[in-house]
Amino acid sequence: MTPDDREQIGRGVRAIVDDPTLTYRQRVQALAIAAENVLDSPKVSPECAAALEERVICDMYEGAAPYRPRYTLPDYDLALRQGSRFLELDPPRTFDDATTFLLAMYANVPSITGYPVWFGDLDRLLEPFAADLDDDELHQRLRRFWVLLDRLFPDAFAHANLGPADGRVVRAALAVHREVRQVVPNLTLRVDPAITPDDLVLDAMRTVAAVAQPHLVNHPLLVRDLGERYGVVSCYNSLPVAGGAHTLVRLNLAAAARHHTGPAARFTADTLAWYVELAAELMEARIRHLVDDAGFFDHSWLVREGLLSLDRFTAMFGVVGLAECVGHLLDLDGRPGRYGHDDHADELAHEIVRSLSMMVEDRPMPYCEATDGHALLHSQAGLESDVGVTAGTRIPVGSEPPLYRHLQTVAPNHAFFPSGVSDIVRLDDTVAHNLQAAVDIAKGSMSLGMRDVTFELAGGEFVRITGYLARRSDIAQVIDGEPDTVRHSSSTLAAGSFVHAHLDDRTAQRVRSHELDAGARR
Amino acid sequence: MSSTRALVADAIPASCVDGPGNRYVLFLQGCSFDCLACHNPQTICTRSTPSTRWASIEQILHEVVAAAPFLSGVTVSGGEATLQWRFVLELFERLREHDATRRLSRLVDSNGDADPAVWDALTPAMEGAMIDLKALDAEVHRFLTARGNERVLASLRHLDELDRLTEVRLLVVPGVNDSADQLARTAEWLLHLHTVPPVKVLAFRHAGTRGVARRLREATDDDVERAVATLAATGLVAQSCSS
């Protein structure tokens, strides 16, 4: 290390120590990342390093020396049944014992953010313990638990799952969630048309109207791709339970397209294949570091107690910027078109996604036994630093076409993203008076093959950023630089995204109101 | 192929304010009333205009089929839907037969100014009708619509007998039709129906209306809530339709 290096590192550390807007915990977390980044990153080829430097491919700033998987989904169900030697806890017998057990476990789950990304299938986990409680007792206890989830793990990537079956806990959880108005936990309801009653989906929509949560996933489709034991974590990432994802590496399709010369028809074979391989190389190097060098699976208590196992792990191959990629390629061909608006643009987009899917499936990846030895394609929901590149395979914010066209454009992509894809539909707030309409739209979307359906209502206090939520009031405090007030580390990221990605420009889909529509005009 | 066509003012593939759930809404051109408070006055004229189109059953069916996965149902509104009731009947029959649209509910949104025989004809193919009641008092009704309300009240009674009265809508025009006394008598009248329908209270607004309506005051949220409270106190199921 040269004196210059040492000085630069010192400046970075000093900036963290002196930053008044970070809470104590946020500083500790930032200092840990700064320390990790003193080390050299896992070795890759010069071509790969150059693509990383240029951010055509990206390691998501996970850190230079991966020593814990990016996403872990401990088998909470097994832990509750067998107890834990590490935690010195017997299997719980009462509701309070169970929530205490889970909170203790969450505090000991490794992650990139410092907080767990998955709280488990909370209704399935807690339903057996709720039998002895009346409705009021259940509500009060679940409410206290919910408050602790937010105060102990103030990070909106921390994600709980509910459904697909109806039950007392899922109903109470939705009611509590409407009451406490927290961004934690991030919430997913699994929907299976054969199991989930419409009335439960309606209850979820009531919750969406209040706090922009939960989002819905198409349970039968996820079971087809990942089996019954899957969880939805962080920002729409669906992964095997008792496992997770070693890492997430993403490819910026827009940046890749800018390196392409020649006809659009040659893009996938020439340029895309090249960058897919570079991203895969980066992914492989990081996985080998985690498993072989850092030895996570040799020493973690979660592995020792059977709550995580290497053979349940995979890796996530993320993509962003499909919309800009398509626009650029069509310009090169001299036949301009916009994804979401022109059929030939949509066709090219769908073709790129299909090709990506095949390339990722054909590229062997070490330690991904859970998914047949390859990584899983993921439509990545964005980073706070993204400027001029649309999240994943979404239609650019502000240029969303009419509702059905929007959904019909994005739906065909969903089959190809087993580890998650998301499209956010902002509904006009008139729908709050007729939430069955939102249920209808959600069910219609799933019948078209959508994996994930996310609604938000225009003008709400809660804004969906990439896949997590932030409150407008918190974003304002971050932008104003108020010291030591914003508990959620995710809200700091949210402020960046809010400004960079113009999220407030999302088109509110008019599900018509009497006053606004003056009849025969279109 | 059917040769039946309708003069159409507009069609909206996604609406959450024209009945339960998300609905395809067909607005037929032409109305028998000339309401002061009409927010779509260009739909009153019964002849074709530059903003109208003639549409066949097949065209509308095609549009509904495309939207069907996202819908709870179809509502035919207007203008006044029942002026072109033969088209409505045939459309509903076709929707009921088609595999992609069979499960959708079929509703009519009407001013109630229709012959009982029209409701008899529609009944086998229609789940129900949502009827606007502009005023219970004939003279107030005449002031607001330029027509009497005998046929409207008869429609309400007849639809009730046919078990097809889905909803009654009351438009609050402050100082005209929202006195406590009028509302109480309206509630009383509705409570005497065989199956008391739910009531939706709408606020009169200037948007879209013609100049003469600007002399009337817009309904505030308070006006609407007061009307809802007055109606609900009688035992009616009443709610506001905020927008």
Side-chain angles (χ1 to χ4, degrees), chain B residues 40-211:
Chain B
N40 282 330
Q42 73 278 24
T43 66
I44 295 173
C45 169
T46 52
R47 294 180 306 275
S48 80
T49 74
S51 63
T52 60
R53 64 170 163 131
W54 285 99
S56 67
I57 294 278
E58 273 73 22
Q59 282 167 334
I60 302 300
L61 190 63
H62 181 75
E63 290 177 22
V64 177
V65 167
F70 303 101
L71 298 176
S72 269
V74 173
T75 298
V76 182
S77 180
E80 171 47 37
T82 57
L83 289 183
Q84 302 183 65
W85 67 271
R86 285 172 209 280
F87 181 90
V88 178
L89 176 59
E90 192 172 335
L91 176 66
F92 280 2
E93 285 171 346
R94 294 290 296 279
L95 289 169
R96 191 179 54 187
E97 288 157 15
H98 196 291
D99 282 345
T101 58
R102 178 171 298 137
R103 67 172 184 86
L104 303 179
S105 66
R106 300 169 296 273
L107 298 177
V108 167
D109 181 356
S110 163
N111 66 14
D113 186 36
D115 214 69
V118 167
W119 300 121
D120 290 335
L122 288 172
T123 286
M126 166 185 90
E127 264 77 21
M130 300 176 286
I131 303 294
D132 288 347
L133 177 57
K134 297 294 192 307
L136 185 72
D137 294 352
E139 65 279 20
V140 179
H141 194 273
R142 197 169 289 281
F143 170 74
L144 285 170
T145 68
R147 298 285 287 268
N149 64 2
E150 302 79 14
R151 275 157 63 92
V152 180
L153 297 178
S155 284
L156 289 169
R157 279 194 213 95
H158 193 59
L159 283 163
D160 179 43
E161 283 160 15
L162 294 168
D163 196 24
R164 289 292 186 279
L165 184 56
T166 301
E167 180 179 287
V168 173
R169 292 160 166 208
L170 304 176
L171 179 73
V172 169
V173 186
V176 177
N177 67 357
D178 71 336
S179 69
D181 164 62
Q182 278 191 80
L183 290 171
R185 280 186 288 110
T186 305
E188 171 95 351
W189 194 94
L190 293 170
L191 285 164
H192 275 92
L193 292 171
H194 190 255
T195 308
V196 179
V199 173
K200 198 157 271 180
V201 179
L202 287 81
F204 166 66
R205 301 257 193 258
H206 286 160
T209 59
R210 291 159 295 183

Side-chain angles (χ1 to χ4, degrees), chain A residues 165-238:
Chain A
D166 206 348
R168 291 177 66 222
V169 174
V170 60
R171 295 292 182 147
L174 291 172
V176 165
H177 207 67
R178 290 192 291 269
E179 256 174 51
V180 296
R181 305 184 68 79
Q182 297 167 177
V183 296
V184 182
N186 202 348
L187 208 56
T188 287
L189 178 72
R190 305 158 199 262
V191 177
D192 181 342
I195 298 171
T196 315
D198 262 19
D199 186 59
L200 179 57
V201 184
L202 190 63
D203 210 20
M205 288 305 163
R206 212 169 282 137
T207 315
V208 168
V211 293
Q213 299 258 46
H215 80 282
L216 310 180
V217 294
N218 184 337
H219 183 64
L221 185 57
L222 272 87
V223 168
R224 185 199 76 184
D225 288 342
L226 298 166
E228 281 284 344
R229 296 171 70 213
Y230 74 89
V232 182
V233 314
S234 195
C235 295
Y236 313 110
N237 308 336
S238 36

Side-chain angles (χ1 to χ4, degrees), chain A residues 25 74 76 79-80 83-90 92 95-110 114-116 118-119 122 126 145 148-149 152-153 301-302 305 307:
Chain A
R25 272 200 81 157
Y76 296 116
L80 289 174
S84 168
R85 288 186 65 149
F86 178 79
L87 296 174
E88 300 179 61
L89 288 171
D90 291 331
F95 192 87
D96 290 348
D97 285 349
T99 52
T100 301
F101 189 108
L102 288 171
L103 289 169
M105 224 180 135
Y106 300 150
N108 287 279
V109 170
Y115 298 106
W118 194 53
F119 292 135
L122 284 181
L126 293 175
F145 178 61
L148 284 177
L149 290 180
L152 294 174
F153 311 106
W301 73 274
L302 290 158
E305 299 195 5
L307 306 174

